[in-house]
Amino acid sequence: MAKTFQDHILQGKNAFITGGGSGINRRIAERFAEQGARVALMGRRADKLEETAQGIRAAGGAAMGVAGDVRYYEDCQKALGKAAAEHGAIDILICGAAGNFPAPALGMSANGFKAVIDIDLLGTFNTCRAAYEHLRKPGASIVSISATHAFIPIPMQSHVCAAKAGVDLLSKTLAVEWAGAGVRVNIIAPGPVDETEGMKRLAPTPEIRQKAMASVPLGRFASKDDIANLALFLCSDAASYITGAICVCDGGQSLLGSRNFIEAAAG
C-alpha cells in the first residue's frame, strides 16, 4: 500500500474499538496502532481479541482486549472503564460491532430481527453513552461503522437496513448534542468489503461474487485498508472541522440506486 499519511499521526492517542477482533474493525485497530495510538478492543470472543492484540504488540504497538457484549450497557461501562484506567482518556471511539445474516422479512423471526437491531443500533448507543464520561473533551472523535443499507433498500437485509438507518441518525444527533463539548461524531458507510465474513455470507459463490462486483462502478470491492484509511482520516486533525458526516465508501455502487442492489442480490 502506498504511503499516504505522515507517520505516527495518532501518536499519544487512545482508541477504543468495538468488534475489534475481526474484519474491518481489526484492520482499523491495526492501522491506528501503526500510527501510534494505544488501542483497546472490545468483543464477545476473548480469544479473537487477544489474538489481535498480540499481533499489534508483536508489531511494536500497544493493545489490550476487553471481552464484553455491546448489547448490554453494563458490559460497555466495564470495558470502557478498564480501557480508560489502563490507557487514559479516550480520544477515538470506533463503534464497529455488527451482526448480519441474509434472510427475507417473511423468513425471519422477530428475535432474529431484534438481534441485529440490538447489536448494531442499541450497541452503538450503549458504547457512545458509556464512553462519554471517558472521552477527551474537547478533541474526541467518534466514528460509527454503518453501511449503504441505511439509505438503499436491499432484499434479504431488512434487519440491517433498519439498524443502520438508526445508526446514521443516532450518530448525527450525537454530533449536534455533543459538538459543544468538542466531540466530533461521523459515520462511515462501506459498500461490499472484500475478505470479510459479511461478504462470504452475502456472496457465497463465485457467480454471485462476480455479479456483485459488476455492480460497483469502480470495478472492485473495497479492501479493509480502504475503510481503515478513511477512519484514520476522520480521526486525525485533518478532519477537525468535520462532524455529522456520512462518508460513503462503496466504489460508487449506491449511486446507481436500488435496482443495482436488487440485481446483485438476486445472484
Side-chain angles (χ1 to χ4, degrees):
M1 182 179 61
K3 182 176 177 180
T4 303
F5 299 93
Q6 178 181 336
D7 290 337
H8 306 301
I9 61 173
L10 298 184
Q11 192 68 42
K13 304 279 190 181
N14 301 318
F16 186 94
I17 302 168
T18 67
S22 62
I24 293 170
N25 304 303
R26 176 173 180 160
R27 186 61 191 121
I28 291 173
E30 293 167 344
R31 193 80 176 97
F32 284 11
E34 290 166 6
Q35 288 294 329
R38 292 178 289 268
V39 298
L41 314 170
M42 180 181 177
R44 285 182 285 180
R45 290 187 55 182
D47 58 332
K48 280 190 166 291
L49 297 177
E50 185 54 29
E51 178 188 339
T52 301
Q54 282 184 356
I56 289 171
R57 292 193 294 265
M64 62 181 289
V66 186
D69 191 330
V70 296
R71 293 176 294 181
Y72 304 110
Y73 185 74
E74 295 77 11
D75 282 15
C76 294
Q77 281 185 309
K78 290 177 183 177
L80 284 152
K82 186 172 182 179
E86 180 77 17
H87 290 161
I90 295 170
D91 301 282
I92 297 167
L93 180 67
I94 305 295
C95 299
N100 193 358
F101 56 89
L106 291 179
M108 189 187 316
S109 69
N111 283 338
F113 187 91
K114 183 177 182 294
V116 172
I117 297 293
D118 284 354
I119 297 169
D120 291 46
L121 178 53
L122 180 60
T124 297
F125 174 81
N126 286 343
T127 304
C128 290
R129 181 65 183 84
Y132 187 81
E133 67 176 287
H134 302 293
L135 296 178
R136 192 178 305 282
K137 299 182 280 288
S141 173
I142 299 173
V143 174
S144 299
I145 306 299
S146 182
T148 51
H149 298 60
F151 50 89
I152 298 287
I154 302 175
M156 311 287 285
Q157 294 282 277
S158 62
H159 47 338
V160 180
C161 291
K164 294 304 189 184
V167 167
D168 284 8
L169 266 295
L170 168 64
S171 301
K172 285 190 168 191
T173 302
L174 296 182
V176 174
E177 291 188 359
W178 295 356
V183 176
R184 297 186 298 111
V185 187
N186 290 294
I187 305 105
I188 294 177
V193 181
D194 213 0
E195 298 181 346
T196 60
E197 187 61 34
M199 278 308 298
K200 291 176 184 176
R201 293 179 181 178
L202 297 175
T205 69
E207 294 75 21
I208 296 175
R209 177 182 167 85
Q210 183 177 6
K211 191 164 187 178
M213 191 175 293
S215 74
V216 181
L218 285 183
R220 67 174 178 87
F221 296 146
S223 69
K224 286 177 278 193
D225 276 324
D226 288 324
I227 310 305
N229 284 332
L230 179 52
L232 179 60
F233 165 69
L234 288 173
C235 294
S236 74
D237 291 341
S240 63
Y241 199 60
I242 299 175
T243 195
I246 298 176
C247 299
V248 178
C249 188
D250 71 344
Q253 187 187 44
S254 61
L255 297 175
L256 302 181
S258 297
R259 181 174 295 278
N260 193 45
F261 282 78
I262 292 169
E263 290 174 352

